């Protein structure tokens, strides 16, 4: 299962600090430097400013190592999430999208990865994995939310997974939908429901949509996730994905990240690689 952090925890996480790799300065100096953000790119300047979720505005210009329990923000133009409910896990990210996630043991829940603070059904994600020593899921991950729908209808809030690798079976006990092929990979769609569980909008009842590959995607190769194919397949089942580009939820925007999730695994491990925007 997946747990979510609250905005209060995000705020407290800022106090814990984020240390930039390769720096000889003290942790406090790193925090002060991080609060002086680099100039935003033209693409970032074109977007409305983030005002609701203050933690998302912190920016780091160079390779950054996250070791605390909760953190979010940007390294260069890459948005990131980093969350755990215990144990020891770290996340390193640089402005080129190179990342490395290490965890010790697995009797806790960890979710983290690089991506975007706003989801996009037409996004094409490129990635290359150097190593994966046993994550629960390596997956494109995100949320859709419609504040105008009935909150008792699970369809108003959706947590989605486009799984690429993993040691756990995705969508166990769920409703199986259509199978389809995207970019040469065969997937099966699955829908599960979470009742009164933590989410980006406090505690809620919501759907999870899954795309499960027939076989794990291999390491050491470039891969592409064409997200529109997955949205279309879910919709062929009648499973609509709510708006993925909003800041309406109480705790987080509808972000979209290439995530590593770890829970109920037997031992520690590492996932490393690179992510890039493969769209036109």
């Amino acid at each position: 299962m997946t747990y979510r952090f609250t905005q209060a925890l995000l705020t407290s996480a800022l106090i814990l600090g984020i240390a930039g790799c390769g720096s000889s300065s003290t942790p406090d100096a790193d925090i002060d430097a991080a609060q002086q953000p680099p100039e935003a790119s033209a693409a970032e300047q074109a977007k409305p400013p983030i005002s609701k979720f203050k933690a998302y505005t912190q920016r780091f210009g160079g390779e950054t190592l996250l070791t605390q329990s909760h953190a979010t923000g940007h390294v260069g133009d890459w948005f990131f999430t980093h969350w755990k409910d215990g144990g020891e896990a770290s996340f390193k990210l640089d402005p080129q999208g190179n990342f490395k996630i290490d965890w010790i043991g697995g009797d806790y829940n960890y979710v983290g990865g690089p991506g975007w603070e706003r989801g996009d059904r037409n996004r094409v994600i490129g990635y290359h994995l150097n190593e994966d020593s046993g994550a629960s899921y390596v997956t494109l991950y995100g949320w859709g939310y419609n504040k105008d729908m009935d909150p008792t209808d699970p369809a108003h809030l959706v947590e989605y997974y486009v799984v690429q690798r993993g040691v756990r079976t995705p969508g166990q006990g769920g409703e199986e939908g259509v199978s389809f092929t995207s970019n040469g990979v065969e997937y099966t769609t699955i829908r599960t429901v979470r009742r009164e569980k933590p989410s980006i909008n406090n505690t809620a009842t919501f759907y999870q949509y899954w795309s499960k590959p027939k076989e794990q995607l291999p390491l050491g190769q470039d891969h592409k996730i064409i997200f529109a194919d997955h949205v279309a397949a879910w919709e062929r089942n009648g499973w609509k994905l709510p708006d993925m580009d909003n800041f309406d939820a109480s705790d987080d925007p509808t972000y979209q990240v290439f995530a590593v999730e770890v829970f109920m695994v037997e031992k520690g491990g590492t996932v490393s690689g690179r992510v890039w925007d493969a769209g036109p």
Side-chain angles (χ1 to χ4, degrees), residues 121 123-125 127 140 162-164 178-189 211-215 217 222-234 236:
R121 69 174 292 156
R123 183 165 282 133
V124 180
I125 298 91
Y127 75 89
L140 182 66
V162 179
V163 177
Q164 303 296 285
V178 301
S179 295
F180 68 104
T181 298
S182 176
N183 198 43
V185 180
E186 294 182 52
Y187 293 92
T188 298
T189 58
S211 288
K212 179 180 73 173
K214 183 177 180 180
E215 298 179 349
L217 279 293
D222 290 356
H223 299 287
K224 186 182 294 184
I225 300 172
I226 304 172
F227 187 54
D229 291 348
H230 298 269
V231 177
W234 295 332
R236 286 202 293 274

Side-chain angles (χ1 to χ4, degrees), residues 231-245:
V231 177
W234 295 332
E235 289 180 345
R236 286 202 293 274
N237 302 312
W239 307 343
K240 301 296 183 181
L241 194 60
D243 181 18
M244 294 176 290
D245 184 10

Side-chain angles (χ1 to χ4, degrees), residues 67-120:
T67 60
Q68 65 272 45
S69 295
H70 313 288
T72 190
H74 293 79
V75 173
D77 288 336
W78 286 104
F79 167 76
F80 66 81
T81 59
H82 168 78
W83 176 90
K84 58 188 174 184
D85 65 3
E88 296 183 43
S90 64
F91 173 29
K92 184 187 292 184
L93 177 64
D94 73 13
Q96 289 72 48
N98 297 294
F99 70 94
K100 183 179 182 182
I101 293 172
D102 295 295
W103 68 93
I104 298 175
D107 190 21
Y108 55 95
N109 190 201
Y110 172 80
V111 182
W116 302 264
E117 73 269 14
R118 301 165 185 263
D120 184 346

Side-chain angles (χ1 to χ4, degrees), residues 7 49-57 145 200-201 246-253:
Q7 186 64 17
I50 302 170
S51 59
K52 182 175 181 179
F53 305 109
K54 294 297 184 183
Y56 284 75
T57 64
Y145 176 59
I200 63 169
N201 195 48
N246 67 71
F247 291 80
D248 297 331
S250 62
D251 300 313
D252 291 294

